[in-house]
Amino acid sequence: MELYYLIYTSVPAKPMNDAELQELLTVAREANSRFEVTGMLICLPESFIQLIEGPKAHIDQLYQNIRHDKRHFRVTTLREEPIIQRFFPDWSMAFKKEDNTDTLEGALDLHDEKIFRLFDIIEY
Ligand SMILES: Cc1cc2nc3c(=O)[nH]c(=O)nc-3n(C[C@H](O)[C@H](O)[C@H](O)COP(=O)(O)O)c2cc1C
């Protein structure tokens, strides 16, 4: 089946606490494993950035669910494309949370290779 990836940003409906994020991730990772979806979620105080990748039919279905999720709004696609290889083959959903967003660059640990890869993809 065709492999596909998609990156979007959205705005949290309200700031999510650690317990809420943990719950979201536990459910998402379990479902992602079942549907061969991998990727990465970055949580900033005023935005989410997420990359999801997997069989196209599963990504279409998941993105539809995500778009309708009341925990966030203004879901905006940044990039979507078929791919030959996954960016995050080992992660049912890698996760990075950053509370301090003075500047995006300062906020995210740019030594973190996974973040680097995500932003490489966005700018590419
Ligand atoms: C920021 C954000 C990221 C999410 N990421 C995933 C994900 O990677 N995988 C997943 O199955 N659900 C994810 N969800 C949850 C989905 O929006 C949705 O609740 C889930 O697919 C179940 O959908 P259903 O209740 O319509 O069956 C995410 C939700 C939010 C708010």
Side-chain angles (χ1 to χ4, degrees):
M1 201 193 288
E2 188 189 12
L3 198 57
Y4 202 78
Y5 87 101
L6 185 151
I7 303 173
Y8 73 85
T9 63
S10 65
V11 179
K14 64 177 185 63
M16 285 179 88
N17 65 35
D18 287 348
E20 290 166 328
L21 280 168
Q22 208 46 61
E23 159 77 14
L24 187 159
L25 279 173
T26 302
V27 173
R29 284 173 171 154
E30 199 274 321
N32 291 353
S33 305
R34 256 184 306 131
F35 291 104
E36 299 164 74
V37 172
T38 52
M40 175 158 196
L41 173 65
I42 299 176
C43 177
L44 302 169
E46 287 166 19
S47 59
F48 289 117
I49 306 172
Q50 188 177 27
L51 181 151
I52 52 178
E53 59 188 357
K56 183 163 190 318
H58 294 177
I59 295 303
D60 288 348
Q61 179 62 59
L62 172 59
Y63 196 44
Q64 204 171 318
N65 291 349
I66 286 176
R67 294 187 83 93
H68 289 106
D69 196 309
K70 295 281 192 297
R71 289 171 285 188
H72 62 176
F73 62 99
R74 216 179 291 151
V75 177
T76 308
T77 310
L78 295 181
R79 211 176 169 84
E80 58 176 324
E81 231 163 36
I83 34 171
I84 311 260
Q85 275 188 50
R86 291 173 190 257
F87 295 102
F88 299 98
D90 304 327
W91 293 90
S92 61
M93 191 46 62
F95 177 67
K96 175 96 184 168
K97 179 169 189 267
E98 185 49 67
D99 295 323
N100 171 13
T101 46
D102 290 345
T103 68
L104 196 58
E105 239 171 76
L108 296 172
D109 178 3
L110 292 182
H111 299 295
D112 183 330
E113 190 211 341
K114 292 194 294 293
I115 300 274
F116 241 142
R117 288 175 66 190
L118 183 48
F119 285 97
D120 274 357
I121 299 162
I122 292 172
E123 292 189 359
Y124 155 64

